[in-house]
Amino acid sequence: MSNNHPVSVVAIDGPSASGKSTVSKRVAQELKFTYVDSGSLYRGMTWKALRDGVEIGRPDQVIELMNRMKLEFYTENRVVLFTMDGEDPGQQIRSEPVRENVADIAAIPEVRVFMVDRLREMVRFGDIVMEGRDIGTVVFPESPFKYYLDADPEERARRRSLELKSMEGVDDVGKVLDSLARRDRKDSTRKTAPLQIALGARVINSTSMTIEEVVALITAEVRAALGQ
Ligand code: CDP
């Protein structure tokens, strides 16, 4: 942790396939901040529920599992990772069953309260870049560095299908894009902490911008504000 300034948090929110993950990781690397993917926690919780045979449609069971689970965080190359009951879910959090159920798990208010508390504790790792859906609105609303990344729906669909085509085991891109649209709808309309533009957030529409341009814009702003 840095000694000469308070911990800085760069909050990056936005819908799926807005370029958020790539941009957030690169911004963290450039600034030498620790990277936190908040979605990985909601995905992890979904993986854990499926793995332990808990019914996704039974929030009471999910909450019970969550409360007795041992959740531990650590960093590797300035990236925050975690274990659940001693197990590292790894890439399993990107699997189809997780993808299909995560928005329902993330809509459970108790799950959100629990994860928001954990996410706020991440400042113990020092300066961080955190990406998600509610980082600027709920988790760190007081941060001066809030960004909302967006891109036109067609561009997001195109980016996601490129990404999926390069992944193994995905044979029906159309189906995955439909499920993505469903998830975006759930994320934007849920009662607790829906995806919204945070007050004071800078909106970046990256439809016709390269990743490098978006990264440069954010890092320049943060550096200028920190007097670097
Ligand atoms: O990879 P992609 O951007 O599609 O998703 P993600 O960032 O891994 O997040 C997966 C899901 O977790 C989202 O669709 C939300 O339902 C949920 N999530 C959330 O509710 N709040 C966050 N801060 C991050 C993710």
Side-chain angles (χ1 to χ4, degrees):
M1 199 179 303
S2 174
N3 295 319
N4 49 13
H5 69 83
V7 168
S8 298
V9 176
V10 181
I12 305 184
D13 291 304
S16 303
S18 55
K20 213 175 20 145
S21 297
T22 315
V23 165
S24 305
K25 275 182 212 149
R26 298 244 189 121
V27 167
Q29 279 165 0
E30 291 270 322
L31 295 172
K32 297 196 163 48
F33 284 15
T34 296
Y35 166 69
V36 188
D37 171 9
S38 67
S40 72
L41 278 186
Y42 295 97
R43 287 174 179 268
M45 191 62 240
T46 309
W47 165 79
K48 180 68 179 160
L50 292 168
R51 188 187 190 312
D52 286 23
V54 165
E55 258 182 69
I56 302 295
R58 291 283 307 270
D60 56 325
Q61 289 188 10
V62 175
I63 294 162
E64 202 215 300
L65 170 68
M66 178 179 77
N67 287 329
R68 68 179 147 81
M69 161 180 91
K70 191 165 174 210
L71 175 59
E72 287 180 308
F73 297 98
Y74 62 102
T75 59
E76 216 173 78
N77 303 322
R78 268 195 240 107
V79 173
V80 171
L81 300 170
F82 57 86
T83 55
M84 290 176 156
D85 287 332
E87 242 185 302
D88 180 349
Q91 283 308 304
Q92 296 174 79
I93 61 168
R94 310 278 157 206
S95 68
E96 186 183 352
V98 170
R99 192 163 64 218
E100 289 304 316
N101 290 292
V102 62
D104 290 324
I105 294 289
I108 302 172
E110 289 85 349
V111 171
R112 302 208 68 81
V113 169
F114 181 98
M115 296 304 172
V116 167
D117 281 349
R118 299 302 170 293
L119 291 168
R120 287 189 179 137
E121 288 164 8
M122 299 290 169
V123 292
R124 72 186 157 100
F125 294 118
D127 297 325
I128 53 177
V129 174
M130 188 177 288
E131 66 155 296
R133 301 286 190 288
D134 64 340
I135 310 309
T137 51
V138 176
V139 186
F140 290 109
E142 70 289 356
S143 168
F145 307 120
K146 295 192 285 261
Y147 297 90
Y148 186 92
L149 271 196
D150 209 349
D152 294 350
E154 301 74 34
E155 175 62 14
R156 293 200 288 120
R158 194 189 66 84
R159 288 179 190 171
R160 185 46 65 107
S161 66
L162 281 178
E163 194 178 299
L164 291 169
K165 275 182 197 147
S166 67
M167 263 164 62
E168 276 175 72
V170 173
D171 46 23
D172 191 341
V173 172
K175 209 173 108 201
V176 181
L177 289 177
D178 282 349
S179 103
L180 190 72
R182 262 200 316 279
R183 184 148 61 82
D184 275 350
R185 222 168 15 250
K186 275 189 190 164
D187 289 343
S188 305
T189 57
R190 70 177 174 225
K191 286 208 181 68
T192 314
L195 173 66
Q196 274 174 345
I197 301 172
L199 208 65
R202 172 158 189 179
V203 179
I204 305 176
N205 187 315
S206 72
T207 307
S208 52
M209 285 171 87
T210 64
I211 294 286
E212 286 70 27
E213 286 170 328
V214 180
V215 171
L217 196 152
I218 297 175
T219 51
E221 253 185 30
V222 174
R223 283 194 173 120
L226 295 178
Q228 292 176 357

